[in-house]
């Protein structure tokens, strides 16, 4: 696999994991034709200069398919949903893990901030409200439990994907960061 291909796949996977669902609700800041977001029909990100998550997803899946060397449509119809489940589970496992100061948060590396999980919000609220120690312990236990559950779902999705891949495809999936 070429280094540039590997880097682009890593970039796509990283962007999907870090941006996740928050991009679906992203405002283009008036970026329609002639708007401050720039661009007419051929502007950055496509029509109106806005981000097109469906187009991004399609491009990302094309890259994964190419890197796994899947040429048969029937084979891809089995692999693609499992790849999607891994990516969704990874996004969920990473959701809220950035905390304050992570990428996209104030002081982070830019981009939209990942959405915090309900458990992370509850833990942060308990800390912000200077809640009693027992309440903080409960919120911390809930946070850890939810995090563990999300990680288990990711591992299950990865195992399911590995079960349908050839050895070469699995090795490529490891290099792409899809499976461990």
């Amino acid at each position: 696999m070429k280094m540039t291909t590997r880097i682009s796949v890593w970039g796509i996977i990283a962007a999907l994991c870090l941006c996740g669902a928050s991009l679906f609700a992203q405002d283009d800041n008036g970026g329609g034709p002639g708007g401050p977001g720039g661009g007419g029909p051929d502007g950055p990100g496509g029509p109106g200069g806005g981000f097109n998550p469906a187009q991004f997803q399609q491009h990302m899946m094309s890259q994964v398919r190419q890197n796994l060397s899947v040429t048969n449509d029937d084979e891809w119809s089995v692999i693609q949903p499992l790849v999607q489940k891994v990516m969704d589970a990874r996004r969920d496992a990473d959701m809220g893990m950035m905390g304050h100061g992570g990428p996209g948060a104030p002081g982070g590396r830019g981009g939209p901030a990942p959405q915090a999980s309900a458990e992370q919000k509850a833990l942060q609220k308990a800390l912000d409200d200077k809640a009693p120690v027992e309440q903080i312990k409960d919120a911390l236990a809930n946070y850890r439990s939810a995090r563990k559950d999300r990680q288990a779902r990711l591992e299950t999705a990865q195992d399911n994907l590995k079960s349908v891949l050839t050895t070469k495809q699995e090795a490529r999936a490891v290099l792409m960061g899809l499976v461990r």
Side-chain angles (χ1 to χ4, degrees), residues 47-99:
F51 176 77
N52 184 334
Q55 185 178 24
F56 177 80
Q57 177 80 5
Q58 182 179 7
H59 176 72
M60 184 195 59
M61 283 298 179
S62 289
Q63 285 295 132
V64 170
R65 181 177 180 167
Q66 180 181 349
N67 288 327
L68 292 178
S69 300
V70 178
T71 56
N72 181 301
D73 289 339
D74 292 334
E75 181 184 10
W76 183 242
S77 71
V78 171
I79 294 173
Q80 189 274 337
L82 298 173
V83 169
Q84 186 64 54
K85 286 181 182 181
V86 167
M87 291 180 173
D88 292 345
R90 181 177 308 281
R91 184 192 62 237
D92 292 344
D94 292 342
M95 180 178 67
M97 303 308 283
M98 302 301 167

Side-chain angles (χ1 to χ4, degrees), residues 28-45:
D28 74 349
N29 296 320
D42 299 320

